[in-house]
Amino acid sequence: MGFTAVPLPPGNFTIGKKFAFEAGHRLPRLPHGHKCSRQHGHSYEVEVILTASALEDPGFVTDFGALAPFKSFLDTELDHHNLHEILPFEPTSERLAQFLAGWFVQNLQSEIPGRLVAVLVRETASSWARFDVVGQ
């Protein structure tokens, strides 16, 4: 049997791309003794997840290079900042994931093929938060 005989099932394609930035924050609404109420920092890892039912030439959901404006935003606006000083909300990973999804949809979604499914924000190797985009 040759490879041309392998049936290609219908379905969706999904890709992910990880980005990183360094930032500090504190969560002052936590109880006084909670360690996250004090200033601390993270090596954040952000993953965007995109999907499409058909591929663009040469066979991409989205060219990873087309995501460069998102990386640029992270580098210029969030990297090495105190997030609680620049964001209009308490910077938990959950809210940061939602905010980054909103930025992506507003500033990049219409420029690329594929549709944003989710944004995952990782604070540490063992903890993360994910925001799933609905109704887009």
Side-chain angles (χ1 to χ4, degrees):
M1 174 170 94
F3 290 130
T4 58
V6 174
L8 300 177
N12 292 318
F13 300 92
T14 303
I15 63 169
K17 175 76 173 162
K18 289 183 181 179
F19 304 90
F21 70 96
E22 308 287 328
H25 76 144
R26 60 185 170 82
L27 303 174
R29 291 178 28 191
L30 289 173
H32 176 68
H34 194 288
K35 66 181 181 178
C36 292
S37 69
R38 297 185 302 270
Q39 180 70 33
H40 62 285
H42 296 290
S43 294
Y44 285 97
E45 186 175 88
V46 176
E47 184 171 358
V48 293
I49 302 164
L50 295 98
T51 190
S53 58
L55 299 176
E56 299 287 317
D57 273 341
F60 294 153
V61 169
T62 296
D63 184 338
F64 289 122
L67 304 177
F70 185 72
K71 173 65 172 154
S72 179
F73 172 74
L74 295 174
D75 289 346
T76 60
E77 302 300 325
L78 301 182
D79 189 46
H80 284 79
H81 282 84
N82 283 319
L83 299 181
H84 59 275
E85 293 176 357
I86 62 170
L87 295 174
F89 52 83
E90 195 144 349
T92 63
S93 290
E94 293 86 344
R95 288 186 172 134
L96 185 56
Q98 183 182 31
F99 169 77
L100 292 173
W103 187 94
F104 191 100
V105 168
Q106 180 179 3
N107 295 282
L108 195 54
Q109 183 68 76
S110 65
E111 307 296 318
I112 61 171
R115 179 183 59 81
L116 183 67
V117 173
V119 174
L120 186 138
V121 172
R122 185 178 297 279
E123 287 186 352
T124 69
S126 62
S127 61
W128 56 267
R130 176 176 160 157
F131 179 79
D132 294 318
V133 179
V134 179
Q136 203 193 218

